[in-house]
């Protein structure tokens, strides 16, 4: 069952992206570089899918592969080889953001 306003297919992809990230070397590297839990897994509490401006890195991967990571940004690669940069949101207020798993009903 999808979470909040996530479409079914997109929610399934987020769950896979979380699993893939946690088993990758980038999870530990991100922590060492200062990426916090909200930087990685944050979502808007009311509209977790629609509010992309509140989304953490892992929630926006959408199947893209991480090919580079530093303290300020990550380079993502799509299946066709296109590279995109996602910039960490330094000093962003956390008001209204929660960890994605905090929204999953018990």
């Amino acid at each position: 069952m999808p979470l909040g306003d996530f479409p079914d297919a997109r929610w399934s992809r987020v769950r896979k992206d979380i699993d893939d990230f946690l088993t990758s070397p980038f999870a530990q590297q991100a922590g060492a570089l200062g990426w916090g839990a909200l930087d990685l897994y944050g979502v808007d509490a009311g509209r977790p899918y629609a509010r992309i401006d509140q989304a953490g890195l892992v929630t926006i991967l959408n199947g893209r592969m991480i090919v580079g990571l530093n303290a300020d940004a990550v380079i993502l690669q799509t299946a066709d080889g296109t590279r995109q940069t996602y910039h960490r949101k330094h000093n962003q207020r956390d008001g209204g953001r929660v960890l994605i798993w905090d929204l999953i009903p018990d």
Side-chain angles (χ1 to χ4, degrees):
M1 182 152 115
L3 175 74
D5 58 347
F6 276 93
D8 289 342
R10 185 67 184 95
W11 175 239
S12 293
R13 182 74 241 184
V14 168
R15 291 179 61 187
K16 180 162 180 16
D17 289 337
I18 290 170
D19 289 342
D20 291 347
F21 180 76
L22 288 171
T23 58
S24 79
F26 291 107
Q28 186 173 4
Q29 185 180 355
L33 291 169
W35 289 69
L38 287 173
D39 296 325
L40 297 169
Y41 310 103
V43 293
D44 183 79
R47 296 183 337 187
Y49 177 72
R51 292 291 309 273
I52 192 131
D53 61 312
Q54 298 292 321
L57 168 63
V58 179
T59 62
I60 60 99
L61 286 175
N62 201 18
R64 292 175 285 204
M65 185 171 60
I66 298 172
V67 295
L69 178 70
N70 64 44
D72 299 314
V74 63
I75 299 170
L76 306 175
Q77 184 170 303
T78 64
D80 70 0
T82 302
R83 292 197 172 189
Q84 302 166 325
T85 302
Y86 171 90
H87 294 277
R88 184 172 157 207
K89 299 168 178 78
H90 290 284
N91 302 319
Q92 182 181 31
R93 290 186 353 201
D94 292 332
R97 282 199 326 159
V98 297
L99 298 173
I100 194 164
W101 47 77
D102 289 342
L103 297 178
I104 299 172
D106 293 331

